[in-house]
Amino acid sequence: MLKEFAKAAPPDKEELRAELDRAKDQLAGYQMKIKEAKLPVMVIIEGWGAAGKGSIIGKVIRNIDPRFFKVVPMAEPTEREKRYPFLYRYMLEIPEAGKFVFFDTYWMQEVTEGVLTGKIDEKLYKQRISSINTAERSLHDNGYLIMKFFFHISRKEQKKRIDALAADKDTKWRVSETDVMQNRNYDRTLEVYDRYLEDTNRSVAPWYIIDAGDRKWAELQVLRFLNQGIDTALKNQALAAPILQNTFPLEPVPKLADISLADKTMTEEEYRTELKKLQKELGELHNRLYRLRIPVIIGYEGWDAAGKGGNIKRIAAALDPRGYEVHPIASPEPHEKARHFLWRFWNRLPKDGHIAIFDRTWYGRVMVERLEGFCSENDWQRAYNEINEFENELHSWGAVVIKFWVQIDNETQLKRFQDRQNTPEKQWKITDEDWRNREKWPQYEDAVNEMLQKTNTSFAPWYILESVDKKYARIKALKIVIREIRKACREKEKNL
Amino acid sequence: MLKEFAKAAPPDKEELRAELDRAKDQLAGYQMKIKEAKLPVMVIIEGWGAAGKGSIIGKVIRNIDPRFFKVVPMAEPTEREKRYPFLYRYMLEIPEAGKFVFFDTYWMQEVTEGVLTGKIDEKLYKQRISSINTAERSLHDNGYLIMKFFFHISRKEQKKRIDALAADKDTKWRVSETDVMQNRNYDRTLEVYDRYLEDTNRSVAPWYIIDAGDRKWAELQVLRFLNQGIDTALKNQALAAPILQNTFPLEPVPKLADISLADKTMTEEEYRTELKKLQKELGELHNRLYRLRIPVIIGYEGWDAAGKGGNIKRIAAALDPRGYEVHPIASPEPHEKARHFLWRFWNRLPKDGHIAIFDRTWYGRVMVERLEGFCSENDWQRAYNEINEFENELHSWGAVVIKFWVQIDNETQLKRFQDRQNTPEKQWKITDEDWRNREKWPQYEDAVNEMLQKTNTSFAPWYILESVDKKYARIKALKIVIREIRKACREKEKNL
């Protein structure tokens, strides 16, 4: 794209100034409309060193009330950030509905830099491109406006600017070694940039190349495209995105009605013996995975009163408290609701070597949010694929992803509800909402069956925990967690 | 995509039959909604030989009233079709608003076949992919639903089906040599298919891979995806598509107000001499470009009464009537209005070696349609880029594309209007609408300036014909046409 990039002629000075004023007013006018329409806007500025990326952001934000935007400079990933998936630190910074975030470089920078320094080989490059295209598409489908600008200057212009900065003792510090190296290797860098732009140019998040030779003209170009993009997005309020086909390997999974429960029991004695043995084993494994830096994500879903809490407790009891966290997931907070539905889970990922246990998960999208109408039909229909993509991202990062469905039958739930109601110290555990949800058992059962069937991937499979006898369910969970972590440890050791 | 394709398990027989019935009813129910919403639906079936592409179409259409669909089998291009651009025969068949077209293979087949037989090299392959992605995006942006299905069977299954067909004397004829060859070279073919699917999988027109091992199950999969796609598209009635950046090389162009007209005159005598000489030259060139099979497209735009008609006549007079056509472009007919705005121009392209002269053109989109509100703002804003893409497609095909803007000033128009009004034999040439349009001169002037500036590409440039003195404009047009055709002939001869 850069190679064929044809500069448009800027308007003459006077006209430029007049149009710039109009464009600024227009952007200022969009603020409230963006807020009302709850449109989240990502403005991504990439480009050559010394092309004026930072200064353009400074100019554009002058037109916006500080309550409505944030500027996020993306530096090199810190040591801590490197312990998370590639997309993690970027996803954390996405704007909330009705606001702007201006990114001074985003995921392009890290990828192209990696290619240029040889840290990213062809295979990893393709993986990154796929992660980025998938993430941008998913953000778009969930209502984000993504405006990507590439600031383009010639080798000569860059040299001139670097030299000018270096000559002044007040600005000398702004010239980085990377900038100098980049100018020396301009052609090679251009190749890498150009390929990246081509590979990530999609109409859900297209590239706009900015001729950054003149600063005022660059500002006008950015404002023009930005205003146009906002205008288009505002027209697309209730956009429905296509439901893409699942392209991940799915394993068969039984229907809930076909799962036999009565025979899944064990004696108290067996349970005690097994529990002790397995918890000891898991405790030892926890050290090993910490050393090997393997992240583990365990998600629990299941019927109310199925015994999720007690089951989680038996896993957690075996773990070193410094190495795990349990995340109880309720309805999203306002600042969470205002972002992509997976954002609050990105935000709760474990560092590598750590374990995160989710008491209810991102599957709320295709269960409660679906059935209670908290999202549109298009939203939850798309979510199966979006969830598979999310879990695939975790898997590629090296995480062990285990999903439990804790299963009981309708009568067992009734008995447990009644027991809670009649036992004073358990009454806090039962609410009117539980009773209301219980009435929707058949709808939930259909939704759960569809969910299990559409998200039972080979890399993040579902495990059914038959929990009419809670002891049985706890032992089964422990065994699965141990087996999967052990498998991951062995594989990682083999590859060391 | 094919390599990682994970078959989903079909429902059991009874459930499948029940769901199939529901899916058929649903599709039948969509018919009227599609008609009301004026949604054009393209259903494209690609896939392996003997995978059941034809038979699935036969089944799906049983649910639709024959007035609402058409089935288009795309065979090899005929010798005649080969004289048009690659996209031509496909674009001609796109559905009109509110109707289905089912394509038994579309542009995928021609490209993958070309790669497999070596007729399409890497460079041409990339060009084809770019043409296809651009066309699919443009169709989507203009409101088309594009559902692309790939029918997938294993090598073994294909062999089994081919053998079964060949064994029966009634079906033997259905086994083509290509099918047999394909089965022998299954792995190589898979590579080519897979790459094509990856390269053209965009969310504006995503691929759906159909496990075609079982016919009933294949039918259900198609109906499921098709119904879902229709449902999503119906929700997106007033979709606004992003305005993409122009990525084609633009040349500077003067503003209309800066074009001097008074000095562009010639004497009657000069005119006579020149005209005779130039027409003779053009006549000879016409033979040469016919022999070299160069297509020529000349478009005329300009103010009412600027002298387009007379100018065209002077060009046409020099040409062999068997080798050119003049297309007067008025408002679109209903069947034209019901399709992509460029369809009626695709439909009027010249064969190679021929000349098409358009008296008014596809630029109506960004002039009259814009100013009279015949299309949405998003439509005409997108159209500059869509037009550049269209002309680039013509250029890549090898066409000479010449665009004339016939320029007069406001007073000259008034004088000519009055003259027409006052001269009985000219009165038919002046209507109330002409006077109404004249009142909008300033708005038109702005629109024309924007149009010239945004579509003056190096491969399809605008030429201003100063036409206060019509003689001058005619001679200038002839000279430009001669020069451009001569240049194209020389280049083509060099490369022979």
Side-chain angles (χ1 to χ4, degrees), chain B residues 162-180:
Chain B
I162 291 174
D163 289 350
L165 288 172
D168 184 335
K169 69 178 192 322
D170 289 338
T171 56
K172 209 175 159 182
W173 62 273
R174 285 178 55 194
V175 179
S176 73
E177 207 176 319
T178 319
D179 293 346
V180 176

Side-chain angles (χ1 to χ4, degrees), chain A residues 91 94 138 142 336 339-348 362-363 365 383 386-391:
Chain A
M91 289 304 288
I94 60 172
S138 181
N142 283 277
E336 294 172 331
R339 288 180 171 86
H340 190 289
F341 79 99
L342 290 172
W343 182 78
R344 58 185 182 138
F345 304 103
W346 277 103
N347 211 0
R348 285 170 170 88
W362 42 96
Y363 284 94
R365 187 72 158 189
E386 289 170 339
I387 286 172
N388 287 340
E389 287 169 345
F390 172 59
E391 293 173 356

Side-chain angles (χ1 to χ4, degrees), chain A residues 1 4-9 15 137 141 201-204 206-210 221 225 228 231-232 235-236 238-250 252 255 377-378 381 453-454, chain B residues 1 4-9 15 137 141 201-204 206-210 221 225 228 231-232 235-236 238-250 252 255 377-378 381 453-454:
Chain A
M1 296 182 68
E4 310 95 52
F5 175 64
K7 291 184 187 184
E15 213 178 313
R137 198 218 67 239
D141 289 355
N201 195 34
R202 298 285 188 274
S203 59
V204 291
W207 277 106
Y208 297 95
I209 300 168
I210 302 300
Q221 291 171 79
F225 288 125
Q228 207 171 47
D231 180 58
T232 306
K235 284 176 181 153
N236 289 336
L239 178 83
I243 316 292
L244 302 178
Q245 185 178 23
N246 171 68
T247 52
F248 299 108
L250 291 173
K255 295 218 162 168
E377 190 183 339
N378 186 251
Q381 282 183 337
Q453 191 235 313
K454 290 188 168 170
Chain B
M1 296 183 67
E4 310 95 52
F5 175 64
K7 290 185 187 183
E15 214 177 311
R137 198 218 68 239
D141 289 355
N201 195 34
R202 296 285 188 273
S203 60
V204 293
W207 277 106
Y208 298 95
I209 300 169
I210 302 301
Q221 292 171 80
F225 288 124
Q228 208 170 46
D231 181 58
T232 306
K235 285 176 182 154
N236 289 337
L239 178 84
I243 315 292
L244 302 178
Q245 184 178 23
N246 171 67
T247 51
F248 299 108
L250 292 173
K255 294 213 163 174
E377 189 182 340
N378 186 251
Q381 283 183 336
Q453 191 234 314
K454 290 188 168 171

Side-chain angles (χ1 to χ4, degrees), chain B residues 335-346:
Chain B
H335 75 290
E336 294 172 331
K337 223 175 127 60
R339 288 182 171 85
H340 190 290
F341 79 98
L342 290 172
W343 182 79
R344 58 185 181 137
F345 304 103
W346 277 104

